[in-house]
Amino acid sequence: MTRWVDGYALGTFSDGATVFAGLVSGDRVLPVERAGLAAEPATVRDLLDKWSEVAPTLSAVAANIDRDTGIELSELEVLAPVEPRQIIQVGANYRSHVVEMVVSDRAPGDTRSDKDLRRHAEETMDEMQRSGNPFFFTGLPAALCGPDDEVLLPAESERVDWEVELAVVIGATAHRVPAGRAMGHVAGYTVCNDISARDLQFPPEHRPLGGDWLRAKNRPTFLPTGPFIVPADVVPDYRRLELSLHLNGERKQSDMAENLLFDVPALVAAASQATRLYPGDLLLTGSPPGNGGYWERWLQPGDVMEAGISGIGFQRNVCKAESR
């Protein structure tokens, strides 16, 4: 996949011999040590640990990356941009997705029209925004893979699907942070694709307990991440970012981040009330409508997923049957 970065971003790369963190601008990558961002080999998470010192220098350093100083991006393997300590995810956080679920999951005997169901869903969401809380769950870093890696489909599942999401990257420790100060703890954004084995998520024996989220969502390669972390100051307004996912060239998901039920400040604030957020942590903000359950189309070996967010970057992951 040909990639180009307007402005600058951070990523993790392999040249076949070593893995290194780099600053990306255009189609060139400058290792962070050569960029003067670290005195010795450092990871992206190391940079995020001192983000208040690093962030103000990035623009000037990126402006001097050229063909003589940078490595050509196409010559490198792009890995997941950061190794987070924690991954916090949000469910049912796009208005259009919630409406879709309410209508498609109509209870047996419910005679209301689709229009009435949509109106009910909208009223419920308005009340939730006023007085409710986001639905959080946790992910495991072991599920991460790179933006170009194969996604492994387990033999024991027949209903694996996709969900493109805007992921917030934390840049300063946050605990009990009010929404008004939450954006000060955001380093930037990246792309995630939350893969789920739906037939393993809610087996009959676990449904009364709320489902099996470990087996369904945290398998190796079930969280393609990247390609890069785009700093928050490079993104004029995250709400204007457009999310999309194509399966074998056919668009399956499309929405704008402005349609989040709980916006980024609200999510950071709410998550920080429950736990302590650390630099490098990922906070996935939820997925728009159009996943596999909606289309009744499940991932198969050979399928190609292209998940992306305008201004942030795109992934291309090919599905493969997992070897046993």
Side-chain angles (χ1 to χ4, degrees):
M1 176 181 289
T2 300
R3 292 192 170 99
W4 178 277
V5 173
D6 292 322
Y8 52 89
L10 286 170
T12 301
F13 308 90
S14 172
D15 61 7
T18 60
V19 172
F20 62 93
L23 181 65
V24 192
S25 183
D27 62 352
R28 297 281 155 169
V29 180
L30 187 61
V32 296
E33 298 82 16
R34 285 165 47 186
L37 299 175
E40 56 187 25
T43 66
V44 170
R45 200 172 83 185
D46 292 333
L47 300 181
L48 292 167
D49 279 336
K50 52 178 183 178
W51 188 242
S52 62
E53 303 171 28
V54 170
T57 69
L58 296 181
S59 178
V61 174
N64 291 317
I65 298 177
D66 56 28
R67 292 187 176 277
D68 295 327
T69 59
I71 304 169
E72 190 170 339
L73 181 55
S74 62
E75 296 178 356
L76 300 172
E77 179 184 1
V78 182
L79 308 178
V82 67
E83 294 184 5
R85 296 175 176 88
Q86 304 176 116
I87 300 172
I88 297 175
Q89 299 179 240
V90 181
N93 198 38
Y94 275 83
R95 301 184 72 87
S96 50
H97 192 191
V98 175
V99 170
E100 177 184 277
M101 290 189 295
V102 168
V103 174
S104 63
D105 293 342
R106 178 197 304 269
D110 190 336
T111 60
R112 287 176 293 179
S113 67
D114 287 355
K115 182 179 179 180
D116 288 340
L117 284 172
R118 290 190 182 94
R119 184 184 304 113
H120 171 72
E122 292 283 351
E123 292 171 352
T124 300
M125 286 185 287
D126 289 341
E127 179 58 33
M128 185 178 295
Q129 278 187 311
R130 286 192 295 268
S131 59
N133 295 292
F135 172 64
F136 289 118
F137 57 96
T138 56
L140 296 180
L144 262 70
C145 71
D148 303 316
D149 290 343
E150 292 178 329
V151 168
L152 303 178
L153 306 179
E156 58 268 38
S157 176
E158 297 179 351
R159 295 190 173 189
V160 179
D161 77 0
W162 58 84
E163 287 181 316
V164 62
E165 303 199 25
L166 173 68
V168 174
V169 184
I170 299 299
T173 300
H175 188 223
R176 297 193 180 281
V177 174
R181 291 195 289 108
M183 294 303 290
H185 296 262
V186 173
Y189 306 95
T190 192
V191 184
C192 283
N193 185 359
D194 179 25
I195 310 294
S196 302
R198 296 301 185 189
D199 46 355
L200 303 182
Q201 188 170 354
F202 299 111
E205 69 270 27
H206 292 152
R207 186 172 289 274
L209 303 175
D212 190 336
W213 298 71
L214 175 65
R215 289 200 305 154
K217 285 181 170 285
N218 286 288
R219 294 174 176 272
T221 75
F222 265 30
L223 194 62
T225 301
F228 313 119
I229 296 171
V230 177
D233 61 2
V234 179
V235 180
D237 184 354
Y238 78 87
R239 294 168 296 185
R240 301 305 303 160
L241 299 175
E242 181 180 3
L243 294 79
S244 65
L245 186 141
H246 291 77
L247 181 66
N248 300 330
E250 181 181 350
R251 177 168 288 201
K252 296 296 187 183
Q253 291 187 285
S254 179
D255 211 331
M256 304 291 294
E258 65 185 355
N259 292 322
L260 289 168
L261 185 59
F262 294 97
D263 62 13
V264 169
L267 292 175
V268 173
S272 77
Q273 300 300 315
T275 190
R276 194 181 301 273
L277 305 178
Y278 295 100
D281 286 354
L282 296 180
L283 173 56
L284 278 63
T285 59
S287 180
N291 63 6
Y294 171 78
W295 294 104
E296 296 185 355
R297 167 57 161 94
W298 311 106
L299 293 174
Q300 302 293 327
D303 281 344
V304 178
M305 294 180 292
E306 295 173 296
I309 301 176
S310 60
I312 306 298
F314 290 83
Q315 311 171 347
R316 185 182 187 275
N317 301 97
V318 179
C319 297
K320 178 183 177 181
E322 183 180 19
S323 300
R324 300 194 67 177

